Amino acid sequence: MIEFSHVSKRYPTGHDALRDVNFSLGRGELAFLTGHSGAGKSTLLRLIMLMERPSSGTIQVAGQTLTQLKSAEIPFHRRRIGVVFQNHQLLFDRSVFDNIALPLHISGYHLDDIGKRVRAALDKVGLLSKEKLNPVTLSTGEQQRIGIARAIVNRPQLILADEPTGNLDPELSAEIMRLFMEFNHHGTTVLIASHDLALINQMDCRVLTLNQGRMTQHG
Ligand code: ADP
């Protein structure tokens, strides 16, 4: 599903965020991406989403070489990927339902279909009863689950998560990780960037480690 071949990323500041990174993640696999703050985890995820371009090397996602994608093809590429952030970036001026429906409106789904898909996504994260509420009234853990529902509502082939449990206590963090594992059991490929080693060690999953932009362990 993801293949990095000799990928390096130098920012315009001259900083080498990734150096000769090689790894692959198969379809239906789940892995953690770990490493110290500044190791290059977010950069690696941003390259997969095409929010950044590599300075050298090639990246393939779902059989497509990203450098060969034309600008017009980028939205289709991004639609295959569900992204979860630490600070879930929910809109507090609209309901839970509308937050989750947003990517479906952008993709041009029919209203009936939007209702079904939003409720299916809410059901998967266990928050079906909260659709009419404003997300500001929910707990931090619930808000993160709404962020996850929004990421999966398009039924992506790949989920990328950047420090998805950064704001949560250990119990809620484990709950969020169980959700990712459940999506993975249903066939979705999952890559989770996290520096929470205690949590990662509990999970018994493949671990990719970055150190100063180099991948020192790829499981
Ligand atoms: P991590 O997610 O592991 O904390 P990042 O990928 O965010 O690491 O950052 C890797 C390195 O690249 C850091 O030293 C960071 O300061 C630098 N960096 C990240 N984004 C940029 C940018 N847009 N411009 C210049 N340097 C950046």
Side-chain angles (χ1 to χ4, degrees):
M1 177 59 102
I2 302 175
E3 189 158 351
F4 273 52
S5 178
H6 300 291
V7 173
S8 297
K9 173 65 185 175
R10 173 172 293 177
Y11 282 110
T13 52
H15 185 84
D16 290 314
L18 293 176
R19 302 162 199 247
D20 195 29
V21 170
N22 296 286
F23 77 96
S24 60
L25 186 69
R27 229 172 251 278
E29 257 198 282
L30 179 147
F32 285 99
L33 176 64
T34 190
H36 60 88
S37 172
K41 304 182 292 296
S42 299
T43 300
L44 190 149
L45 297 184
R46 288 206 298 269
L47 288 173
I48 297 171
M49 288 183 265
L50 270 175
M51 290 165 71
E52 295 285 352
R53 298 276 187 174
S55 310
S56 59
T58 53
I59 302 172
Q60 287 200 339
V61 177
Q64 280 192 303
T65 305
L66 297 193
T67 41
Q68 290 170 354
L69 283 187
K70 301 191 182 73
S71 312
E73 294 171 315
I74 293 176
F76 296 101
H77 167 70
R78 294 212 177 118
R79 245 168 248 170
R80 280 199 216 112
I81 306 174
V83 184
V84 178
F85 300 97
Q86 174 174 355
N87 58 347
H88 42 73
Q89 304 184 339
L90 298 176
L91 303 170
F92 289 148
D93 63 348
R94 56 191 82 185
S95 68
V96 162
F97 182 100
D98 289 342
N99 265 278
I100 299 172
L102 208 57
L104 299 178
H105 284 298
I106 294 168
S107 300
Y109 281 94
H110 195 271
L111 279 184
D112 288 346
D113 209 13
I114 289 178
K116 279 188 207 132
R117 283 176 180 248
V118 169
R119 290 187 187 103
L122 274 172
D123 193 27
K124 282 184 193 141
V125 300
L127 292 176
L128 199 48
S129 61
K130 311 274 183 176
E131 67 169 271
K132 292 196 175 66
L133 299 180
N134 185 303
V136 81
T137 65
L138 303 179
S139 70
T140 318
E142 286 171 334
Q143 287 180 6
Q144 186 57 306
R145 283 195 275 160
I146 299 300
I148 293 171
R150 187 183 52 190
I152 55 127
V153 74
N154 251 333
R155 299 180 193 157
Q157 302 166 14
L158 171 64
I159 295 173
L160 300 178
D162 197 356
E163 299 288 354
T165 61
N167 288 327
L168 305 177
D169 64 40
E171 204 171 306
L172 285 174
S173 298
E175 217 173 84
I176 295 290
M177 290 305 178
R178 275 197 291 276
L179 268 181
F180 286 122
M181 293 180 106
E182 223 173 283
F183 298 137
N184 178 245
H185 285 148
H186 287 96
T188 312
T189 311
V190 182
L191 181 59
I192 305 168
S194 170
H195 63 259
D196 189 345
L197 284 176
L199 184 64
I200 291 171
N201 290 336
Q202 276 175 31
M203 295 293 162
D204 191 27
C205 294
R206 185 174 169 203
V207 179
L208 310 167
T209 307
L210 283 170
N211 186 355
Q212 316 269 24
R214 290 192 188 279
M215 195 165 276
T216 52
Q217 181 196 359
H218 38 90

